[in-house]
Amino acid sequence: MKRSSSLTLTTMLAGASLTIAACDDAPAAANWNKNSVAQGEQVETFQYADLDSCKTANAIPDADCDAAYAKALEDNDKSAPRFEAQATCEETHGVGNCVPRTASNGGSFFTPLLAGFVIGQMLDGGGNRYYRGTGLYRGRDGYQTGWGGTLGRDYATGRTTISRQSIDPPDSIRQAPQRMQTRTSVVSRGGFGGGRGFGG
């Protein structure tokens, strides 16, 4: 079992602090998601516990590590799964892995700690490659994004994959209101549920 400790980072994006879990090593082998084939285009991914791990791995340029990590922090602020009670959050993400946060309207809720970030290799319309990042959270079925996606493995290549929508969803998903997870909704969904209700 991996040890984790929480630390507070100040993001330039929000000008505020957030809590991120620092792991002893990067998120390890992804679990196969049996539903991934039905969730649309799959993209190859890299996953890291923190920014330094991304740069040390030297798999992608440092500037892309910076950009992907910044996007992961931004997404964490906007799309981290929200729970009305700490106990419900911990049932899904593990004891000690959830922290309180305050909404802009003054209300409070709990979110899981950011356990790292994932970077997807995307292709634009012209066939040019670019990278896009988002945050990862520990869940019952492995590492998952705030948009509801679960890391999978392409057994033909041995590479880790995720559905494109799970790392770079369309505006209709990105702008949808966050849904508060309750114990009833968590039980009915069998555990982790992305705030906007699609998986992959």
Side-chain angles (χ1 to χ4, degrees):
M1 181 176 255
K2 296 180 181 177
R3 299 184 309 276
S4 65
S5 58
S6 61
L7 58 103
T8 303
L9 297 177
T10 303
T11 71
M12 294 176 10
L13 297 170
S17 62
L18 63 96
T19 306
I20 181 170
C23 305
D24 291 338
D25 51 291
N31 291 335
W32 174 248
N33 175 14
K34 65 183 179 180
N35 297 319
S36 63
V37 175
Q39 298 300 329
E41 178 190 356
Q42 298 289 300
V43 297
E44 182 181 350
T45 63
F46 304 94
Q47 66 271 4
Y48 302 104
D50 52 43
L51 181 57
D52 287 341
S53 297
C54 181
K55 293 182 176 181
T56 300
N58 208 28
I60 65 174
D62 285 359
D64 289 317
C65 286
D66 288 330
Y69 184 63
K71 182 57 70 174
L73 294 177
E74 180 183 357
D75 284 353
N76 179 68
D77 186 52
K78 295 178 180 177
S79 67
R82 297 183 181 191
F83 296 83
E84 66 175 7
Q86 182 174 1
T88 305
C89 181
E90 291 184 343
E91 283 179 23
T92 303
H93 298 282
V95 175
N97 287 332
C98 296
V99 293
R101 291 172 74 170
T102 304
S104 57
N105 64 5
S108 62
F109 55 92
F110 292 84
T111 67
L113 292 169
L114 192 62
F117 67 112
V118 61
I119 302 171
Q121 293 192 62
M122 310 291 192
L123 291 175
D124 65 17
N128 299 309
R129 188 180 303 276
Y130 69 98
Y131 297 97
R132 208 278 184 191
T134 195
L136 285 176
Y137 307 92
R138 284 189 181 92
R140 290 177 177 171
D141 299 321
Y143 288 95
Q144 300 152 323
T145 75
W147 307 110
T150 302
L151 293 177
R153 185 165 302 282
D154 181 340
Y155 287 115
T157 64
R159 296 173 178 171
T160 303
T161 62
I162 199 167
S163 71
R164 184 177 183 128
Q165 284 197 50
S166 299
I167 195 170
D168 190 20
D171 287 344
S172 59
I173 297 295
R174 192 175 294 281
Q175 295 169 7
Q178 262 288 34
R179 182 177 59 220
M180 191 70 69
Q181 303 286 314
T182 64
R183 188 162 197 324
T184 301
S185 66
V186 168
V187 170
S188 68
R189 294 172 66 91
F192 179 88
R196 290 162 181 82
F198 74 91

